[in-house]
Amino acid sequence: MRSFFLLVLAGLHTADAQSAVVSCSSTKCVAKTSAPYVEIVSASAKYSMRCCTDTPTTHFVASTACPGLYASSTDLSGNCVPNGSKTFAEAEALCASHGARLCTTTENLADCSRVAQCGLNALKVWAVFGDDAPSSVPSVAKSQVPSIDVTPAPTPAPVADTPAPTAAPVPPPGAHDDPHFYTWQGALYDYHGVCDMIYTTCPNYDQGKGFHMHLRTEFVEPTKWSTISSLAVKIGDDVFEAQNNGSYYVNGVPNVDLSEGVDFAGHKLRSANRFDQGRLRLLYQIELEDDSLLEVLVKSPKNDGSRGDRSSLSFQIKGAHEHRNNGGNAFSDCVGLSNTWEQPEEGKYLVGRSGELYEFERAHEFAPEWQVDQDKNDPMLFFKDVGLQLPQQECIKSPILVADHRHLNHLKEADGGALGRQAEEACSHLSGDTLYDACVFDVLVTGDTSFAEEPWYNK
């Protein structure tokens, strides 16, 4: 098997310099496409790529499936390289400019490079034949990846030894529609309602400058499910606000040029575009401590009536766990919807502002405790006051508010169970994942299967 791959690889680079290899970028592609999953195509064709390296590198993500490997599908600025944009030579050169190489077919089909995301996990990308079969690459089960037909010379994929199981990575703190919140410890819960809320507040951050993040939610008619409409961040005296319609403010000034980055209380604030899951999105980043990063992703509607044409705003605080694991304490005093680092009884509870402990099933009671309250000297971070803070207005509850969204049987059974089956099919790629229930809930409540295609459900 190894000699066969070496022979074909040699042929590609010597006998037929006009040809190159593309492969499914992950098992998701295998599940959604037909064979061949690896094929030889013209080197002048246009695809995206997966770059791999054994060394931690800027814009590269550590593989969860293959420890010691790092993958990326971005350019040198960290922007995703969209599908259909690079020839083989261009893709190979871009990987080399990162100090990396094209990922192998083995790595792609074993999900080693899946963490690179960029909306490519269901697509084919430029690759090179894998003859390495490292011990860190898990074997590919036939139930997940059928035998691989290489055109013009069919062959099954090489199978490597299965590594010892590793713990699933802890999701970074953050939130995404509609809305699902992650705590500092990576626990997931939901809240549906409308008000201004404190996602996290860290008074001692950066030698007392403070790190404060507020969220504003709104209802989506007619079902009145909630969405994050705005996010505001304050460090020191500087305030940044991003809205789900694509507008943003820096210290009250709209749409400042952030493409080259600007100073933000001693930190760098910048913007870029990211092509993710078939849509161009606005990306905002604020550099924090020890390479940690607040990343805000906004999808604005095109208003063309197309499927999934809606606004969305999501965010993650990347690198916070690594910072803490390395002994950092920049976020140690943070509280809010994010909960606390030192969660009582091994994270079984959410800690309210009053000090009351809430089981996760009572998140609909916990979240309003963190409504912005001017009587408690909470700052107004949003450019425009729309009266969603205390004491003017308590959080407005959604009519779909329930303690546990897994019990939305009345929606699952609607139309003879058709909606339930539709939701389960749309989210089937997450079967067994902790996000499966959240995905099904989103599709059930909104009636929109395109929710299952959002980046946070396609890592």
Side-chain angles (χ1 to χ4, degrees):
M1 183 71 69
R2 180 183 178 93
S3 60
F4 171 79
F5 275 103
L6 287 171
L7 178 63
V8 176
L9 185 59
L12 283 174
H13 290 286
T14 56
D16 186 2
Q18 304 304 311
S19 300
V21 182
V22 293
S23 78
C24 269
S25 59
S26 73
T27 53
K28 179 180 178 181
C29 168
V30 173
K32 288 181 173 287
T33 60
S34 301
Y37 306 113
V38 176
E39 59 182 316
I40 298 172
V41 300
S42 169
S44 62
K46 296 289 187 76
Y47 291 85
S48 188
M49 78 290 162
R50 295 282 203 227
C51 302
C52 285
T53 179
D54 299 328
T55 306
T57 303
T58 302
H59 305 310
F60 278 64
V61 184
S63 174
T64 54
C66 303
L69 188 74
Y70 301 83
S72 175
S73 289
T74 69
D75 59 22
L76 293 177
S77 298
N79 299 317
C80 287
V81 176
N83 182 45
S85 64
K86 298 293 181 185
T87 65
F88 177 77
E90 291 169 341
E92 198 171 40
L94 180 54
C95 289
S97 68
H98 278 296
R101 55 176 173 76
L102 283 170
C103 299
T104 68
T105 54
T106 306
E107 289 164 338
N108 289 338
L109 290 165
D111 281 342
C112 298
S113 62
R114 186 166 181 160
V115 290
Q117 301 182 50
C118 283
L120 301 172
N121 283 336
L123 303 172
K124 289 177 181 175
V125 294
W126 289 118
V128 293
F129 277 109
D131 70 298
D132 44 3
S135 59
S136 60
V137 179
S139 60
V140 181
K142 291 184 178 180
S143 60
Q144 292 179 312
V145 183
S147 58
I148 302 170
D149 296 327
V150 180
T151 306
T155 183
V159 178
D161 295 334
T162 302
T166 57
V170 178
H176 59 78
D177 269 348
D178 62 359
H180 304 289
F181 300 102
Y182 283 101
T183 69
W184 286 108
Q185 297 280 21
L188 177 66
Y189 69 93
D190 308 334
Y191 173 70
H192 281 270
V194 168
C195 54
D196 291 355
M197 294 178 286
I198 300 171
Y199 173 73
T200 201
T201 180
C202 318
N204 294 322
Y205 177 81
D206 194 3
Q207 299 180 335
K209 289 181 182 178
F211 175 67
H212 311 280
M213 187 184 307
H214 293 183
L215 307 178
R216 176 171 288 170
T217 55
E218 64 184 8
F219 284 142
V220 178
E221 302 292 348
T223 315
K224 291 188 182 300
W225 53 274
S226 297
T227 186
I228 301 172
S229 61
S230 300
L231 171 151
V233 181
K234 183 175 188 288
I235 300 178
D237 295 325
D238 290 340
V239 179
F240 168 72
E241 177 183 348
Q243 301 179 351
N244 65 357
N245 62 8
S247 299
Y248 62 92
Y249 297 86
V250 179
N251 296 324
V253 180
N255 304 327
V256 175
D257 183 7
L258 301 176
S259 58
E260 299 298 322
V262 298
D263 179 75
F264 189 76
H267 300 262
K268 189 173 184 178
L269 165 63
R270 60 179 178 267
S271 67
N273 292 323
R274 173 178 290 179
F275 193 83
D276 217 337
Q277 297 304 113
R279 283 289 294 272
L280 190 66
R281 301 167 193 260
L282 302 174
L283 173 68
Y284 306 100
Q285 296 177 324
I286 299 177
E287 295 178 357
L288 302 174
E289 306 299 310
D290 275 352
D291 295 325
S292 58
L293 186 75
L294 170 62
E295 185 171 283
V296 183
L297 204 58
V298 175
K299 179 182 77 171
S300 300
K302 295 186 290 186
N303 298 315
D304 60 358
S306 60
R307 176 174 173 270
D309 186 42
R310 63 176 181 280
S311 59
S312 71
L313 187 155
S314 62
F315 69 93
Q316 292 183 322
I317 303 175
K318 296 184 173 180
H321 296 138
E322 291 79 0
H323 168 74
R324 188 170 174 84
N325 291 339
N326 290 332
N329 60 3
F331 308 107
S332 61
D333 64 335
C334 299
V335 295
L337 295 175
S338 60
N339 213 14
T340 63
W341 281 105
E342 305 302 334
Q343 297 184 41
E345 296 194 27
E346 299 181 353
K348 293 181 181 178
Y349 296 98
L350 296 163
V351 183
R353 192 168 192 170
S354 65
E356 182 173 351
L357 303 183
Y358 294 87
E359 296 87 355
F360 279 80
E361 292 75 14
R362 296 174 60 208
H364 59 293
E365 299 174 44
F366 158 76
E369 278 218 32
W370 288 105
Q371 183 177 6
V372 176
D373 189 344
Q374 294 177 4
D375 282 350
K376 295 179 179 176
N377 297 318
D378 294 337
M380 164 57 76
L381 300 188
F382 296 104
F383 177 71
K384 187 175 182 180
D385 185 351
V386 296
L388 291 176
Q389 305 183 352
L390 291 171
Q392 300 138 290
Q393 173 69 59
E394 293 183 351
C395 290
I396 304 169
K397 295 181 180 179
S398 168
I400 68 169
L401 194 63
V402 291
D404 188 347
H405 63 248
R406 296 167 182 82
H407 296 156
L408 293 176
N409 290 330
H410 62 287
L411 285 176
K412 282 190 175 183
E413 294 168 2
D415 297 327
L419 183 56
R421 291 191 295 273
Q422 185 181 47
E424 290 169 353
E425 180 179 354
C427 301
S428 60
H429 62 288
L430 292 167
S431 181
D433 192 289
T434 55
L435 285 173
Y436 175 78
D437 285 338
C439 177
V440 170
F441 174 75
D442 287 350
V443 175
L444 283 175
V445 169
T446 65
D448 185 354
T449 57
S450 71
F451 257 97
E453 300 170 9
E454 291 292 355
W456 45 87
Y457 290 138
N458 290 273
K459 297 187 182 301

